[in-house]
Amino acid sequence: MKYTEKYGYSPDEQKIAAAVEALASNLGDLSSPEVLKKCFSLMDLTTLNSKDTEASVMKLVDKVNKLPEVFADYPAPASVCVYPNFASVVRNGLKVPGVHVTTVSSCFPSAQSFLEVKVRECELAVQGGADEIDIVLALNAFLAGDESRAFDEIVAMKNAIDKAAAAEGRKVVLKVILETGVLVSAESIAEASFLAMEAGADFIKTSTGKVELNATPAAAIVMCEAIKRFYEESGRKVGFKAAGGISTAKDALCYYCIVNNILGPQWLDRSLFRFGVSRLGNSLVSAIEQKTVSFF
């Protein structure tokens, strides 16, 4: 049985398209400094470039450390997100309380490797100081119709993360990237959402940001509707992370509106909602300050 059948959810593509069209007319009502600052607090500030170095990662960390003195009335972002080999750089450099260390893992962004390699990378990320780990759905299995293998890979990585974290007396959040732009249909996005949640994901995330089509409002609607249905059936709240191409305040408000409309105000918290971004920070600050700001 498909997960969409189990949960009694089939995306209505016409309804979703109409909802996306209606979004634009409602965003102006949300554009207040309070909401924009809330969006700022939900950011996983990200650098995932092939030219990243310890120095360049530390440069981003230093900017986060300076936020309280430069923008004293702003909340801290949720986390700094880097490749797993830089986890300790962020962990040792961060001075702002409450900002987490996030790393990608599972041979990001393609996840094309041996499961043993993916599991070990997750363990090393935890040992390096990661508070949160973003892994990629095994698309090589999922797209071939082997959902059991895709499910088992998530479980294996979650178990490894939980064990490594428990050894240090802490918990680590697991986010599963669906790569929605590759899944093509709303039905496939819903199926992947339920699969990841059943496998133990704490968050489901749209995209790696490394493919042609990344986050879209339509995919976000499907994912949030799946999260809502999963919560109704299981009683477990799973978070939503929008990532890939989210660079303007308007983009952030669009996803904020989707989460608020479908999941409600209780999801508008960093424990259940995130943006994975590299450029959004400046746009949000510029919108709040009503002038061009280039801080990040």
Side-chain angles (χ1 to χ4, degrees):
M1 178 188 289
K2 289 283 190 181
Y3 291 102
T4 47
E5 294 173 13
K6 176 180 177 179
Y7 287 93
Y9 172 69
S10 183
D12 184 330
E13 299 208 31
Q14 285 189 326
K15 183 179 173 184
I16 290 166
V20 171
E21 271 193 51
L23 271 173
S25 60
N26 297 324
L27 295 183
D29 299 335
L30 285 173
S31 190
S32 68
E34 291 74 24
V35 171
L36 293 169
K37 285 182 180 179
K38 168 65 82 170
C39 290
F40 190 90
S41 76
L42 302 172
M43 294 191 302
D44 289 347
L45 286 171
T46 302
T47 180
L48 295 170
N49 301 311
S50 57
K51 61 182 181 180
D52 285 341
T53 63
E54 289 192 9
S56 67
V57 169
M58 197 58 216
K59 187 175 179 181
L60 179 59
V61 172
D62 285 338
K63 288 179 179 179
V64 174
N65 289 338
K66 290 174 183 173
L67 275 170
E69 60 184 80
V70 180
F71 299 104
D73 59 341
Y74 279 57
S79 81
V80 175
C81 179
V82 294
Y83 280 113
N85 48 306
F86 295 118
S88 60
V89 175
V90 182
R91 166 60 62 213
N92 295 333
L94 269 175
K95 295 180 172 61
V96 180
V99 179
H100 283 187
V101 179
T102 297
T103 76
V104 294
S105 197
S106 74
C107 301
F108 176 97
S110 70
Q112 296 283 17
S113 190
F114 303 102
L115 177 57
E116 293 86 348
V117 174
K118 299 179 189 180
V119 166
R120 185 60 181 141
E121 189 176 50
C122 289
E123 292 170 340
L124 290 169
V126 174
Q127 292 164 10
D131 300 300
E132 306 179 8
I133 294 180
D134 294 15
I135 67 171
V136 186
L137 175 70
L139 291 170
N140 53 10
F142 185 84
L143 294 175
D146 192 350
E147 293 191 8
S148 294
R149 181 158 71 87
F151 179 95
D152 290 344
E153 286 209 7
I154 295 172
V155 171
M157 285 182 272
K158 178 173 176 54
N159 288 343
I161 289 166
D162 287 350
K163 184 177 179 180
E168 299 181 5
R170 58 195 186 93
K171 292 185 177 180
V172 171
V173 170
L174 173 65
K175 308 192 199 89
V176 177
I177 305 166
L178 306 184
E179 203 68 287
T180 54
V182 173
L183 297 180
V184 181
S185 73
E187 193 76 20
S188 290
I189 293 169
E191 184 72 8
S193 297
F194 288 122
L195 182 154
M197 290 188 286
E198 280 222 349
D202 298 304
F203 276 72
I204 51 175
K205 174 179 170 182
T206 55
S207 319
T208 61
K210 304 294 187 182
V211 293
E212 189 173 341
L213 179 63
N214 291 291
T216 65
I221 289 171
V222 174
M223 292 171 67
C224 287
E225 287 182 345
I227 288 169
K228 182 178 181 180
R229 190 76 190 103
F230 184 80
Y231 174 60
E232 290 169 347
E233 289 295 311
S234 70
R236 186 167 76 87
K237 292 179 180 177
V238 174
F240 168 72
K241 180 173 175 178
I246 299 166
S247 59
T248 68
K250 185 176 179 182
D251 292 336
L253 291 174
C254 174
Y255 291 101
Y256 182 98
C257 187
I258 290 169
V259 171
N260 186 44
N261 288 349
I262 297 174
L263 296 169
Q266 59 185 317
W267 253 265
L268 300 175
D269 180 87
R270 64 175 60 186
S271 65
L272 290 168
F273 181 25
R274 297 289 181 83
F275 297 110
V277 295
S278 58
R279 294 171 289 164
L280 179 63
N282 285 333
S283 182
L284 287 174
V285 176
S286 296
I288 294 164
E289 301 296 327
Q290 294 293 293
K291 62 182 181 182
T292 301
V293 177
S294 298
F295 177 78
F296 293 102

